[in-house]
Amino acid sequence: MRRWRKLLLPFSWIYGAIIFVRNYLFDIQFFKSAEYQFPVICIGNLSVGGTGKTPMTEYVSQLLKDTFKTAILSRGYKRATKGFVLAADKATVEGIGDEPFQYHNKLKGVTVAVDEDRQHGIFSLREAINPEVIILDDAFQHRKVKAGLNILLTMYGDLYPDDLLLPAGNLRDLKGQAKRAEIIVVTKCPSDLSKNRQTEIINKLKVAASQKVFFATISYKEKVLSNKESIFLEELKNKNVTLVTGIANPEPLLIHLKEQGISFDHHKFPDHHNFSTSEIEMFKAKDFILTTEKDFVRLEKYLSNVYYLPIETKFVNDEEGFDASILAFAGK
C-alpha cells in the first residue's frame, strides 16, 4: 500500500509547501501565538495517529493530578457539539468525543473539556475552574497556542524520519517541526529495547542538545473488563472472540493477542469510527466482543457482550527522569 501511495508524492509536495508557509508565518510572528504564565503541556505527534497519545495523556495526567489541579483540553474529534464543553456527570461520547469521554470516566480528579479553538478553550477553563496545569491533547499543530512544554510522540518501527507527508505518507507536519519539542518519546517499543538500539534511534531523530528523548512501551493488563465483570485474558482461549477496533493502528494489539494464544475474528474500522445500527446488530449476534478502551466507550451502551483490554504507558528507560521533567515544569 505504501508503494502505491508514493505515486501521490506530487500532492505531498504541494501540501508540504502549504505547511511550510504556515509554520514560517508563525515563526516570524506574522500569525500570533498565545503564551501563558501558567503551565501548559502539549502532547502530540507529526503523524495522523497511532502513536499512543491517549495512554500518554493518561500517564501525564495521573502523574500530575495528586499534586496540581489538572485539566485536559481536547478538540473532541467527531463530537456532535461545537465550541467549549466542560465534561460533567452526564457527559456523553456524542457530546465530547470518545477520547475525552474516556479521560472523563477514568481520570477521577482531572477536569476534561473540549474546544476546537484551543485559545478559547484555555480561557474558558481558567474562567470555569482555574486549573494549575492544562494538558493539551493532540495540539502540536495548533500553533495559535504556544505550550510551555511540548511532548512529541513517534512510534517505534514507524519513526517520523522514515515517513512522508500526506497523502503519500502519514505525516501531517514537516519533520523539521520536531525541533519545537522539548521532549520526544519513542512509543510502542519492545520492552527489551537495547541501549545500542536506543542510541541508533536517537541518532536517526537528530535531536538537539536541548531535547530529551525517552523510550516507552504499551503494557497490557492481565484482565479484560466490562461494566459488570473482569475476566483473565487467559480465559479467552476458550471463547469465540470477535475483535472490534476503530483505532489508527491496531497492529500491536493483534500481536499481543496472538502471543497470548488467543484466536479471534477481527473487524477493523477507521479511527474514531461511529458504529452504525447494522454493525451494532451484527455485534449483538456474536458470542464475545473484545475491543479497545476507546471503542468500548462507544459500544458499551448498546452491547452486553463487549469487553476491553486496558493498556498503559510504561517506560523502557529513565521513567524517573521523565516524571521529574514533567513535575519540575508543572511546579514552575
Side-chain angles (χ1 to χ4, degrees), residues 13-301:
W13 298 334
I14 296 170
Y15 175 72
I18 295 169
I19 296 299
F20 175 84
V21 171
R22 177 180 180 272
N23 280 315
Y24 176 74
L25 292 175
F26 274 107
D27 291 340
I28 65 172
Q29 298 183 13
F30 182 84
F31 293 155
K32 301 298 182 183
S33 299
E35 298 186 56
Y36 301 91
Q37 298 303 310
F38 54 90
V40 177
I41 300 172
C42 172
I43 299 174
N45 56 23
L46 298 180
S47 65
V48 290
T51 57
K53 290 189 306 294
T54 301
M56 181 59 69
T57 300
E58 291 178 357
Y59 182 97
V60 173
S61 301
Q62 293 279 16
L63 176 66
L64 293 173
K65 71 182 184 67
D66 292 335
T67 307
F68 304 96
K69 190 176 183 180
T70 303
I72 298 172
L73 178 62
S74 177
R75 174 186 173 189
Y77 186 64
K78 283 196 173 182
R79 62 189 169 112
T81 57
K82 297 291 184 182
F84 179 78
V85 179
L86 191 67
D89 291 341
K90 295 183 179 180
T92 64
V93 176
E94 293 77 14
I96 62 174
D98 50 14
E99 289 167 351
F101 186 78
Q102 179 178 324
Y103 300 145
H104 177 61
N105 269 0
K106 191 173 184 179
L107 300 170
K108 303 307 178 186
V110 176
T111 300
V112 177
V114 294
D115 198 328
E116 57 272 23
D117 182 338
R118 302 310 203 286
Q119 282 189 17
H120 181 261
I122 290 172
F123 173 81
S124 300
L125 264 174
R126 294 281 284 183
E127 288 283 300
I129 65 156
N130 195 27
E132 295 173 293
V133 182
I134 294 178
I135 300 169
L136 302 179
D137 174 31
D138 194 16
F140 194 73
Q141 285 73 38
H142 195 91
R143 296 202 58 184
K144 289 183 180 180
V145 168
K146 186 175 182 180
L149 180 67
N150 285 287
I151 302 172
L152 181 68
L153 310 183
T154 186
M155 190 179 77
Y156 180 86
D158 194 18
L159 302 171
Y160 60 77
D162 300 326
D163 208 345
L164 298 170
L165 283 169
L166 291 166
N170 292 319
L171 293 181
R172 54 178 164 167
D173 208 343
L174 299 170
K175 300 173 187 180
Q177 289 303 307
K179 66 187 178 185
R180 294 192 285 111
E182 288 76 26
I183 293 175
I184 298 174
V185 182
V186 182
T187 60
K188 302 185 180 181
C189 296
S191 58
D192 59 350
L193 188 67
S194 69
K195 293 291 185 182
N196 287 341
R197 181 63 178 138
Q198 292 177 32
T199 301
E200 289 175 5
I201 292 172
I202 291 171
N203 291 336
K204 175 174 275 193
L205 296 177
K206 297 179 180 178
V207 298
S210 60
Q211 292 178 308
K212 298 178 181 179
V213 182
F214 299 91
F215 295 85
T217 188
I218 292 295
S219 175
Y220 294 92
K221 297 292 189 177
E222 294 181 348
K223 292 182 177 181
V224 298
L225 307 179
S226 73
N227 287 329
K228 301 175 296 184
E229 61 179 344
S230 62
I231 301 174
F232 278 103
L233 195 58
E234 177 78 12
E235 296 180 38
L236 301 194
K237 293 179 181 179
N238 303 317
K239 293 185 180 294
N240 185 16
V241 177
T242 299
L243 177 66
V244 176
T245 62
I247 58 176
N249 178 27
E251 193 62 29
L253 175 58
L254 306 185
I255 292 172
H256 179 72
L257 293 175
K258 289 174 183 177
E259 288 176 346
Q260 305 307 306
I262 297 169
S263 299
F264 53 87
D265 178 29
H266 184 201
H267 291 255
K268 181 180 177 181
F269 297 91
D271 198 14
H272 301 282
H273 179 69
N274 288 320
F275 296 100
S276 67
T277 301
S278 61
E279 289 163 351
I280 297 293
E281 291 303 313
M282 175 180 65
F283 299 153
K284 286 180 179 179
K286 303 295 183 180
D287 293 333
F288 190 98
I289 299 291
L290 178 62
T291 191
T292 68
E293 191 166 2
K294 186 168 78 171
D295 295 310
F296 179 81
V297 300
R298 280 180 280 121
L299 291 170
E300 60 175 321
K301 64 182 177 182

